[in-house]
Amino acid sequence: MKTLMLSVNAVAFLLLAVIAGAAGAQELPAHRQVETGSGTVELDGVISDQEYTLRHLTEAVAVYLVRLDEDTIQVAVEAAGEGWVSVGFGSEKMDGSRMLIGFVEDGEARFEEHLGSGWRHSLHEQPVVQGSAVSRSTPPGPDTPVTTMLEARLPAEAVEVNGRGEPFPIIYAVGPRPNFTARHRARGSQMLVLE
């Protein structure tokens, strides 16, 4: 009986470890969402303190949004590392999501608008982004990580941010290398509300 209890406990522990490991390896929980004051909004690859009214922060990714007017949204996504960063709208999963992906390679900013289909994505046939900026930070010291940041301006209806105070889904991800095909090293999704 003692051996059976140990086996059941061991199986339960292994199952929990596998589930936790699988979830921890890819899904990143949201930590906080902070409303901030509005400042001057620029499409320049730099996030200023008061530029965005909504901040969604996780362990690996920061997503920022601001409504420029009734019809236009500006979004930014930032993550530590030199790989790609991405944010997507229209679905809580990659499938059906309009994804904005960017990175810096050999000093050149690269940006594409993709459409998710199943577990894959490719160039969107009907891009709507009105402008984008991608940058990589230069750390001031050895303890400050390099970060990659993408900003884009697009129609509110394209990202299904139609009404003030209505929730809409976003997805976000970070890649390990600066290219459009490397598999993500972290990802997540969240329902947000933008006033």
Side-chain angles (χ1 to χ4, degrees):
M1 187 68 153
K2 196 176 206 179
T3 304
L4 180 59
M5 283 182 65
L6 280 174
S7 297
V8 170
N9 287 342
V11 169
F13 176 77
L14 286 172
L15 183 59
L16 285 173
V18 168
I19 291 170
Q26 295 185 359
E27 292 293 335
L28 296 172
H31 285 282
R32 61 191 188 274
Q33 183 173 307
V34 182
E35 294 289 340
T36 63
S38 181
T40 302
V41 181
E42 296 184 37
L43 193 60
D44 57 2
V46 177
I47 299 171
S48 64
D49 288 342
Q50 300 297 312
E51 190 172 12
Y52 289 90
T53 58
L54 178 65
R55 294 175 184 217
H56 177 74
L57 310 172
T58 74
E59 290 177 3
V61 181
V63 179
Y64 306 86
L65 289 132
V66 64
R67 183 186 293 274
L68 301 177
D69 55 44
E70 289 303 312
D71 302 319
T72 312
I73 300 293
Q74 185 161 310
V75 62
V77 59
E78 181 178 33
E82 298 182 11
W84 56 264
V85 293
S86 177
V87 62
F89 299 93
S91 174
E92 292 181 72
K93 298 183 177 181
M94 191 166 69
D95 188 33
S97 185
R98 179 182 297 272
M99 300 185 318
L100 315 178
I101 305 171
F103 56 86
V104 176
E105 182 179 37
D106 298 327
E108 181 182 343
R110 304 280 307 274
F111 171 84
E112 289 185 359
E113 188 174 342
H114 285 208
L115 177 64
S117 178
W119 297 100
R120 301 189 183 283
H121 55 89
S122 58
L123 281 172
H124 205 298
E125 292 179 2
Q126 299 174 331
V128 297
V129 169
Q130 299 162 354
S132 66
V134 183
S135 64
R136 183 184 295 159
S137 70
T138 304
D143 296 333
T144 306
V146 170
T147 60
T148 300
M149 200 273 291
L150 163 109
E151 281 186 310
R153 192 169 289 174
L154 61 167
E157 65 181 5
V159 297
E160 299 182 15
V161 183
N162 298 315
R164 291 184 185 273
E166 293 181 18
F168 60 94
I170 68 162
I171 62 172
Y172 41 86
V174 182
R177 292 182 298 285
N179 65 51
F180 293 109
T181 58
R183 183 171 168 78
H184 56 72
R185 64 175 167 82
R187 65 178 168 90
S189 65
Q190 186 70 32
M191 294 295 290
L192 298 179
V193 175
L194 184 63
E195 294 299 328

